[in-house]
Amino acid sequence: MSGGRGPWAPATSRATDVVLHSDPCDPRSAETLDRLQIWIREHLPAMVLGGIFIILLALVRRPGPAVYLLATMLLSYYATLGATTLFAHFYHTRPLGLSRDRPRRGA
């Protein structure tokens, strides 16, 4: 099944091109790119949560249950993230807080 959009079709992603009005090697372009990356890092999580909230609000049509669903989703995400971190540290027999590239004290 080549080129089809069936359940086994390859996943797609969205790419956004940023076209600057200045030369890409110009220091102003690097500064603009840094500001753009900072803006994305600061605002994208709130935009994603807002989008999820709007979708939940459209599905349940009441703000209370939509907020509750969003809160439980975030709580379960962070609980899973913490459990995965604990499992990985105990599996690799390292105490929490120590990474592979940072040596232990006194070593």
Side-chain angles (χ1 to χ4, degrees), residues 11-49:
T12 60
S13 63
R14 172 64 74 188
T16 302
D17 293 329
V18 176
V19 180
L20 302 174
H21 293 290
S22 59
D23 181 27
C25 297
D26 189 16
R28 291 181 303 166
S29 296
E31 184 179 314
T32 303
L33 182 62
D34 288 340
R35 287 197 328 232
L36 181 62
Q37 288 176 338
I38 289 170
W39 187 90
I40 289 172
R41 194 175 311 123
E42 290 176 354
H43 292 86
L44 191 63
M47 291 171 48
V48 168
L49 286 177

Side-chain angles (χ1 to χ4, degrees), residues 86-101:
L86 287 173
F87 175 77
H89 278 284
F90 287 126
Y91 181 76
H92 293 291
T93 62
R94 280 196 303 264
L96 287 176
L98 291 180
S99 64
R100 186 175 288 166
D101 54 340

